[in-house]
Amino acid sequence: MSSRAEEKSDVRKRVWKTLRTVARPDSRFHFDFASFITDFEGSDRATARLVELSSYKDSTVVFITPDNCLEELRLRALRDGKTVLMTTYGIRRGFWELDPAKIEESQYANAAMLDGMERLGRPLSLADILAKRWHIPFMVTGTGAVNTRGVRFGKGHGFFDIEWAILYTLGVVDQTTVAAAVVHDCQVLEEELRPEEFDTVCELVVTPTRVLRVPDVQKPACGVLWPLLQPDMLERIPPLQELKAMNEPAGIVTGQNVKGFQ
């Protein structure tokens, strides 16, 4: 483990000790914060702050991660008439679209949950996403911790960074896309940590009590860094397999992805 990875690991463990006092248990993972991003006391207030942001209000399509603390936000987005793009847990079953026009309003709450979204949403291949010609202006994620510069300390799997890299390669997100992290106040840290080239830094950090705006954020413009993927990640994440297959026929060198494949 690199010194930076060790530093992140130490931070996570320290934050998780405090987070345990405000976290809501998950029926599958209980309080195993290395396995999931927990919901927390006050997440409804954080959601209320986020939906007042212009980045949210101006978006017709929003990417929202499948984190427990964002269930109410996914519901609110559907009620607000926004299309929600999300992934399944661990991206293992890929990307899914929740289109409020194609879901009965009485089923919005069910669709906002991880189990319900696979019954009521629509799975999207990367080719499907390309065909929609979306530009997604707003992405929202939960995380294990985040510092005041918007650098996230997640579970350690890098899923949000992979999601960003895939969508960036497709040309669906770009440097104008705003990224927001929704966390409890105890998860916001003062630690300085220089982001790595694949870290998707957040311009906005939203808690139950405040909105922190981070200036001069530079998000990754490198696509998927294939040599840096964790072992077996390519085998476990079908969208990575599809992206690799889309690259290879075009003669693109792995790791040097071309936006939009145009």
Side-chain angles (χ1 to χ4, degrees):
M1 183 182 292
S2 69
S3 60
R4 189 170 300 171
E6 289 176 348
E7 182 180 359
K8 283 188 174 183
S9 178
D10 290 342
V11 168
R12 290 187 193 101
K13 291 176 182 177
R14 174 161 49 83
V15 171
W16 290 345
K17 184 176 180 180
T18 305
L19 183 61
R20 179 68 167 76
T21 66
V22 296
R24 292 170 175 156
D26 181 272
S27 60
R28 291 158 293 186
F29 302 113
H30 192 46
F31 289 109
D32 179 9
F33 300 139
S35 297
F36 80 114
I37 299 297
T38 184
D39 193 8
F40 52 81
E41 295 175 9
S43 62
D44 56 335
R45 298 196 302 275
T47 297
R49 291 181 182 277
L50 185 142
V51 299
E52 291 301 317
L53 299 172
S54 59
S55 297
Y56 172 84
K57 290 182 175 180
D58 295 342
S59 301
T60 57
V61 182
V62 181
F63 179 87
I64 305 175
T65 57
D67 298 320
N68 288 22
C69 61
L70 300 178
E71 182 178 309
E72 184 168 340
L73 176 62
R74 294 190 292 268
L75 172 57
R76 176 61 185 267
L78 291 174
R79 287 176 173 169
D80 289 341
K82 299 180 187 298
T83 297
V84 175
L85 178 65
M86 61 184 295
T87 56
T88 58
Y89 174 79
I91 328 180
R92 292 183 180 178
R93 290 184 298 282
F95 289 85
W96 288 70
E97 175 190 32
L98 302 179
D99 183 346
K102 298 178 180 178
I103 300 171
E104 293 290 337
E105 188 173 354
S106 61
Q107 292 296 312
Y108 283 176
N110 193 15
M113 296 187 293
L114 298 191
D115 293 334
M117 70 97 166
E118 292 196 46
R119 292 195 295 270
L120 296 165
R122 175 196 171 202
L124 296 180
S125 67
L126 300 192
D128 292 332
I129 294 174
L130 271 177
K132 287 183 173 291
R133 298 185 177 275
W134 276 335
H135 173 261
I136 297 178
F138 195 41
M139 299 179 71
V140 187
T141 184
T143 190
V146 61
N147 73 2
T148 54
R149 298 295 300 168
V151 181
R152 297 169 301 102
F153 305 70
K155 301 187 300 294
H157 304 304
F159 293 137
F160 187 60
D161 297 322
I162 290 173
E163 290 157 351
W164 165 271
I166 291 172
L167 295 175
Y168 183 87
T169 300
L170 298 179
V172 175
V173 300
D174 57 28
Q175 293 294 333
T176 68
T177 298
V178 174
V182 174
V183 293
H184 191 273
D185 290 278
C186 74
Q187 295 173 276
V188 181
L189 309 173
E190 296 292 338
E191 271 89 349
E192 286 295 329
L193 183 69
R194 181 174 60 84
E196 305 204 49
E197 59 183 323
F198 53 78
D199 279 332
T200 309
V201 180
C202 293
E203 292 98 326
L204 298 170
V205 178
V206 184
T207 81
T209 66
R210 62 173 173 160
V211 175
L212 176 64
R213 300 176 188 274
V214 183
D216 304 322
V217 166
Q218 293 295 317
K219 289 190 285 296
C222 54
V224 177
L225 297 176
W226 302 94
L228 299 184
L229 292 178
Q230 296 179 17
D232 301 326
M233 191 167 273
L234 179 60
E235 288 72 21
R236 289 187 286 110
I237 298 180
L240 285 176
Q241 299 166 22
E242 185 180 0
L243 186 67
K244 194 168 187 292
M246 294 170 81
N247 275 344
E248 289 173 346
I252 300 170
V253 177
T254 299
Q256 297 178 343
N257 304 315
V258 175
K259 290 178 66 179
F261 299 96
Q262 297 171 349

